[in-house]
Amino acid sequence: MRIIVILAVLTGVTGSPSVTIRPGADSVDTTAHPNSVPETAEETEIDGQDVLVDKEAEEDVMATGELNPNHYPARRAAKVVQHYLSTRYGSPYRLFGLHNVHSGNAEDVADAGRKYQLEISVQEIISNTTETCSAEVLFPKGGPPQVQVSCEELLKINTIAQEEALYQQYKMNQNLQSAQNLPDSYGHIEPDQKPLWHLGIVASSFVMLNESTENTLYNMAQVANITQLATENDQLKFDCHVLLHEMVSQDIIHWKLLFTWSPPEGVKVLQMEQLPHCHECEKPPSTN
């Protein structure tokens, strides 16, 4: 009996600890899975660009079956729907934001990838109109996500008059439009520069949609600069340098875009080029 007691004590001392010491607020938990996600996420949103604040508890990103709508697997797939809507229907007066995730389901599709079925609320930011939409997102084993979504009411919002007025203003103005640091270090954007900021958001959605995977969460951080270029056709042309925030890795990624816009044709990205990582560049003032 004495031997058994001694062995039990030694096992309790040398076995794996059952108490986890949580790092401080400024520390990084290096033991966590790189794709682990918080139990819940608080979210603030400006012009459709949201910032998530992590909570405790974790869930693996590759979960299947019914998903917790507050966990990253569902929210990452839902964010892709936002980027998709922006690339198809976004304009200087129509911006889409992810408002809420109501339900989600994930399944492996043989030889195709993983498919997410989602019920989400999407908000058109400028008109402050929200609609519940059904969406399907397929993350293939190679290539960008494939999205199908039904948001009929949001797409009925009529912005033709505002877009045509802005188009004529930019088309007829002898001085080509340009702007830098949208938003600035205080998060401010001049009212007459907001259409350029919105155009930058829509154009950057093409990059974020193309680059999105199950392991990423992209957000627009800043339009570093945007310049209207001279053109002889009906399409307005813009050269743009945007900063994207990849919220999982916390990387700020620089992209150079060349795109066109007109009310009938919408935004069309002609060229996308990722710029070399700049170790000396400062992080933008906000990622809103």
Side-chain angles (χ1 to χ4, degrees), residues 11-19:
T11 302
V13 172
T14 61
S16 300
S18 58
V19 178

Side-chain angles (χ1 to χ4, degrees), residues 96-130:
F96 300 96
L98 174 62
H99 186 262
N100 202 4
V101 180
H102 302 293
S103 65
N105 186 280
E107 63 175 312
D108 291 310
V109 181
D111 299 325
R114 281 170 55 80
K115 182 187 296 184
Y116 289 75
Q117 301 284 350
L118 302 165
E119 289 290 325
I120 61 177
S121 291
V122 176
Q123 183 180 23
E124 198 289 302
I125 305 300
I126 299 175
S127 67
N128 194 26
T129 303
T130 302

Side-chain angles (χ1 to χ4, degrees), residues 57-69:
E58 298 170 349
E59 174 192 333
D60 192 276
V61 71
M62 305 307 272
T64 56
E66 185 176 355
L67 303 174
N68 186 321

Side-chain angles (χ1 to χ4, degrees), residues 62-101:
M62 305 307 272
T64 56
E66 185 176 355
L67 303 174
N68 186 321
N70 292 318
H71 288 191
Y72 274 170
R75 299 195 70 83
R76 287 173 181 170
K79 190 71 172 178
V80 170
V81 179
Q82 173 192 320
H83 300 322
Y84 174 84
L85 288 170
S86 293
T87 62
R88 297 304 188 274
Y89 310 107
S91 82
Y93 294 98
R94 189 155 62 174
L95 295 177
F96 300 96
L98 174 62
H99 186 262
N100 202 4
V101 180

Side-chain angles (χ1 to χ4, degrees), residues 83 144 199-213 216-227 238-246 249 251-259 269-278 281 284:
H83 300 322
L199 281 169
I201 292 175
V202 175
S204 70
S205 294
F206 285 80
V207 176
M208 292 187 283
L209 176 63
N210 190 68
E211 297 294 311
S212 287
T213 71
T216 62
L217 185 63
Y218 281 101
N219 196 36
M220 169 64 126
Q222 188 182 55
V223 173
N225 59 68
I226 182 169
T227 302
F238 298 87
D239 181 84
C240 188
H241 175 189
V242 298
L243 279 61
L244 305 182
H245 185 186
E246 204 293 286
S249 65
D251 284 340
I252 299 296
I253 307 172
H254 295 242
W255 283 82
K256 183 178 177 62
L257 306 175
L258 181 66
F259 68 92
V269 174
L270 307 179
Q271 296 177 14
M272 299 187 295
E273 178 188 359
Q274 183 175 347
L275 301 178
H277 183 73
C278 178
C281 296

Side-chain angles (χ1 to χ4, degrees), residues 23 27-34 58:
S27 303
V28 177
D29 183 4
T30 58
T31 64
H33 189 280
E58 298 170 349

